[in-house]
Amino acid sequence: FVINSSQSTPIHDIYAYPPSAITHPNPLIRNLQRILWFFRTQWFIFALILIVFLAWLKPSIGSRSTTVSHGFLDPDIAIRIVVSIVFFLSGFFTPNFKSLSASFFLWRAHLLIQTYTFVIIPLFTYLLFKILESVPLFAVLNSPPFFSDHFKNSLLILSSLPTSTSSCILHTSTTGGNTTLALFNSTLSNLLSLILTP
């Protein structure tokens, strides 16, 4: 396996390189390397699809506790455990207090993120519904069973809600982003949503 150098690279290191760096002379091996790289970098999306499929296949696994029976992934318990693990790991892997304090003073990033969460996304959703109301082409979509008033109001409220802290940290760390900044802003936006979300 040759990846832009004269030295050979073992198979377990192949995924670490972007497709542009894969230059193996054999097209079959080169395409296999690109596929492996794609699956390695996009593993979280495939894991989500797999979980949704398993939930559809066997929904009783995640059923809530009742007097009769419950699944071993009871949401009331599993959510607390998963969120606790995410918070623990995000705190454990936060480099030090210096990085936390440095993220605290990135006021331009905070302003951009909060504006995007509480202004741009709700405004975009509102304008989308206005376009659906005014354009005759979309008139059929602007009435039940497609878009009832309750459904539109629900989407407007949903668009003004911030992301959950656990998913925000998870997605940020998966993409190699600044998890300290994500932790600060997800916490801040969840606190602000108590006032700003209708």
Side-chain angles (χ1 to χ4, degrees), residues 96-107 110 178 180-181:
N96 49 37
F97 181 75
K98 190 176 180 180
S99 67
L100 279 172
S101 58
S103 294
F104 179 77
F105 291 106
L106 298 173
W107 64 270
H110 304 323
N178 187 339
T180 310
L181 186 67

Side-chain angles (χ1 to χ4, degrees), residues 82-152:
V82 171
V83 169
S84 301
I85 291 170
V86 168
F87 272 107
F88 172 76
L89 291 176
S90 62
F92 186 76
F93 290 110
T94 299
N96 49 37
F97 181 75
K98 190 176 180 180
S99 67
L100 279 172
S101 58
S103 294
F104 179 77
F105 291 106
L106 298 173
W107 64 270
R108 288 185 185 91
H110 304 323
L111 185 63
L112 175 66
I113 293 167
Q114 301 308 322
T115 304
Y116 186 81
T117 302
F118 292 111
V119 178
I120 295 174
I121 294 297
L123 187 61
F124 175 79
T125 308
Y126 178 76
L127 291 174
L128 181 63
F129 285 137
K130 286 298 177 186
I131 290 170
L132 288 175
E133 289 174 3
S134 60
V135 178
L137 179 65
F138 300 120
V140 68
L141 294 175
N142 197 36
S143 59
F146 295 103
F147 287 109
S148 65
D149 288 337
H150 293 298
F151 182 69
K152 286 190 283 189

Side-chain angles (χ1 to χ4, degrees), residues 1 20 36 41-42 47 52 54-55 74 84 91 98 106 120 124 134 150 159 172 180 189:
F1 290 93
S20 59
L36 290 173
T41 55
Q42 304 299 324
V52 169
L54 291 174
D74 183 348
S84 301
K98 190 176 180 180
L106 298 173
I120 295 174
F124 175 79
S134 60
H150 293 298
S159 69
T172 305
T180 310
S189 61

